Amino acid sequence: CQFWAFQKTFEFVVSMMLNRELHLLLSGNISIPASPKRRPKDQKHSATQFSSVQWMHLAVVACGDRLLETLNMLKSAVLFSNKKLKFHIFAEDSLKPEFEKKLEEWPTSFSKKFEYNVYPISFSVGNAEEWRKLFKPCAAQRLFLPMILKDVDSLLYVDTDILFLRPIDDIWDFLRTFNATQLAAMAPEHEIPKIGWYSRFARHPYYGTTGVNSGVMLMNLTRIRNTQFKNNLIPTGLKWEEMLYPLYQKYKNYITWGDQDLLNIIFYFNPECLFLFPCQWNYRPDHCMYGSNCKGAEEEGISILHGNRGVYHDDKQPTFKALYEVIRDFSFEDNLFQSMYYPLQSKFLNTVHTLCGRIPQVFLKQIERTMSKVSEKHVIFNVGANFRL
């Protein structure tokens, strides 16, 4: 009942917003903005176009069949962000023209919010083939971002199966809360040690009581490059790039989750360097498939959805799949409530037989709040200073 009351309330609010816009439009007090022109296909983003703007840097590594999943992640980032974004896309050579083609097709009203670069996969230390096959194809590339992106101070790395349900600006603000020693932020791998993977099965050191999940990782790259890390290889500290391959060689027969395990080992020896995100910033099926165990999401809603275990593409967790599909199918310049939020509510009605589907408010709370803010900004912009909601 609460769910349906929630839906009807927002239907009424949006209806009132749209009706008042329409009334002003018909009375001649509001003008329709000209349709945005598409950027010419051969026009690339200029590196100096927004030189005075404070950028938010977002990195992702995409190999194999992850093109469409990555584009959906980038789409969710652009839809809701406030400040401008720089995408650092690391991909196999065969995917580069596909990324360029798809991103150049996005309407100007959204493509003006970001710039992008597509980089080849490269590993600066150790055996490249070993790194390439460490876990999922090319996933170890994230370990080398501090060495490759030498001119970038801070960066948000995410896996391809991430969806943003609120502005990236909000997670970017965590950089300001780092203390003097913290240089990266991740969320716990699990909230309950007795059912966590690391606490039950790990054969190597890991951070804290449940380990950390590297699918969402906020990094101060400058600090990472300048820090001497404690380790169990030599008595003195090692630079990041000096430490990676020796650590891999020492633990390669004991790690299961590849680069994530290496990050857990590093922060086991350097816990003062890590800031812990609350679980709602990296919400995975594990947080609801055995019963709801992310209190932050229950109170505030999910901020970042992480569809690991391939749940966007099978029927094991239909709630996650529903969110993926409505963002994928959303046409950039449609009405957010009519073309995304209401279809999402409808899809959720078919997921109530699952444990994750029984808590729709957890999935809806932040994205509804974000959509309301985006819609409000859009209405105020179009109506003008003389009209207030």
Side-chain angles (χ1 to χ4, degrees):
C1 292
Q2 291 179 344
F3 180 79
W4 283 108
F6 176 77
Q7 177 183 1
K8 294 302 180 184
T9 299
F10 275 94
E11 285 178 349
F12 174 77
V13 171
V14 174
S15 176
M16 290 294 292
M17 291 167 62
L18 295 176
N19 286 340
R20 295 188 73 175
E21 278 193 87
L22 181 59
H23 172 74
L24 288 176
L25 177 62
L26 294 175
S27 64
N29 293 326
I30 179 174
S31 59
I32 301 175
S35 299
K37 296 180 179 179
R38 289 185 178 273
R39 186 173 64 256
K41 292 291 181 81
D42 59 347
Q43 179 182 338
K44 300 295 182 182
H45 293 277
S46 167
T48 60
Q49 186 178 357
F50 304 111
S51 58
S52 62
V53 174
Q54 181 185 356
W55 292 93
M56 297 182 295
H57 293 264
L58 178 67
V60 64
V61 179
C63 290
D65 61 354
R66 298 302 181 102
L67 172 71
L68 297 180
E69 191 173 83
T70 304
L71 288 167
N72 212 34
M73 179 275 292
L74 297 175
K75 183 179 183 180
S76 72
V78 170
L79 280 174
F80 303 133
S81 65
N82 296 317
K83 292 194 290 286
K84 290 185 169 63
L85 294 159
K86 279 194 177 180
F87 296 148
H88 302 273
I89 304 168
F90 292 81
E92 294 168 310
D93 292 342
S94 60
L95 292 180
K96 180 178 180 179
E98 293 296 318
F99 273 112
E100 292 175 343
K101 177 184 176 183
K102 294 294 184 181
L103 290 173
E104 295 297 329
E105 290 175 352
W106 288 6
T108 304
S109 55
F110 287 91
S111 64
K112 68 183 181 182
K113 296 175 63 176
F114 69 92
E115 292 181 2
Y116 70 90
N117 281 306
V118 184
Y119 307 83
I121 301 297
S122 63
F123 305 99
S124 56
V125 297
N127 185 302
E129 280 306 305
E130 283 186 288
W131 288 122
R132 188 180 292 271
K133 299 175 182 178
L134 181 58
F135 182 48
K136 294 179 181 178
C138 310
Q141 181 71 76
R142 85 183 83 185
L143 298 174
F144 296 84
L145 298 180
M147 293 89 84
I148 297 172
L149 301 175
K150 294 180 180 180
D151 296 327
V152 176
D153 174 69
S154 297
L155 178 84
L156 177 64
Y157 166 86
V158 296
D159 286 347
T160 61
D161 51 9
I162 290 295
L163 290 173
F164 294 95
L165 306 187
R166 64 188 292 180
I168 289 185
D169 310 60
D170 296 337
I171 192 171
W172 192 257
D173 284 343
F174 277 109
L175 288 166
R176 301 176 184 177
T177 67
F178 282 13
N179 65 26
T181 62
Q182 290 167 339
L183 47 76
M186 289 183 279
E189 173 65 21
H190 215 286
E191 301 302 301
I192 305 174
K194 67 180 181 181
I195 59 176
W197 193 92
Y198 283 106
S199 49
R200 290 186 295 163
F201 304 118
R203 296 185 294 160
H204 58 77
Y206 58 89
Y207 179 88
T209 58
T210 61
V212 285
N213 184 281
S214 61
V216 178
M217 185 176 180
L218 186 63
M219 292 181 277
N220 185 316
L221 298 183
T222 300
R223 289 188 179 184
I224 291 175
R225 287 186 286 262
N226 294 336
T227 297
Q228 294 279 341
F229 291 89
K230 298 187 294 291
N231 61 88
N232 63 348
L233 301 169
I234 62 173
T236 59
L238 287 171
K239 290 282 192 179
W240 184 267
E241 66 269 24
E242 298 170 337
M243 179 175 51
L244 291 179
Y245 196 62
L247 270 184
Y248 166 68
Q249 287 296 317
K250 180 169 184 173
Y251 290 103
K252 65 180 180 181
N253 294 324
Y254 304 99
I255 60 178
T256 301
W257 308 113
D259 50 302
Q260 177 174 291
D261 289 348
L262 288 177
L263 289 168
N264 267 281
I265 294 167
I266 291 171
F267 290 109
Y268 169 84
F269 292 108
N270 301 270
E272 73 283 357
C273 294
L274 190 65
F275 178 96
L276 269 188
F277 285 135
C279 51
Q280 64 266 29
W281 293 94
N282 187 349
Y283 191 94
R284 284 158 278 125
D286 303 70
H287 289 117
C288 56
M289 62 190 291
Y290 308 114
S292 182
N293 58 54
C294 177
K295 296 300 182 184
E298 292 174 11
E299 295 169 1
E300 299 181 16
I302 299 167
S303 297
I304 295 179
L305 192 73
H306 186 175
N308 64 343
R309 302 176 181 264
V311 294
Y312 294 150
H313 312 294
D314 60 30
D315 296 319
K316 294 180 180 178
Q317 295 298 334
T319 314
F320 284 75
K321 186 177 182 180
L323 260 163
Y324 179 85
E325 290 180 343
V326 295
I327 293 176
R328 178 198 65 193
D329 298 339
F330 177 73
S331 180
F332 273 103
E333 295 181 338
D334 282 354
N335 178 278
L336 282 168
F337 279 96
Q338 291 179 343
S339 300
M340 185 183 293
Y341 189 70
Y342 295 155
L344 183 60
Q345 287 184 317
S346 178
K347 284 177 176 286
F348 275 5
L349 292 176
N350 298 321
T351 72
V352 294
H353 63 285
T354 68
L355 286 174
C356 294
R358 292 178 186 176
I359 48 173
Q361 70 280 4
V362 169
F363 290 83
L364 290 169
K365 187 175 293 186
Q366 274 297 335
I367 195 168
E368 175 272 317
R369 186 178 302 168
T370 300
M371 286 183 183
S372 295
K373 290 179 180 178
V374 172
S375 297
E376 181 179 335
K377 286 171 62 178
H378 176 73
V379 170
I380 291 173
F381 174 79
N382 283 321
V383 170
N386 293 325
F387 175 71
R388 295 181 184 275
L389 290 175

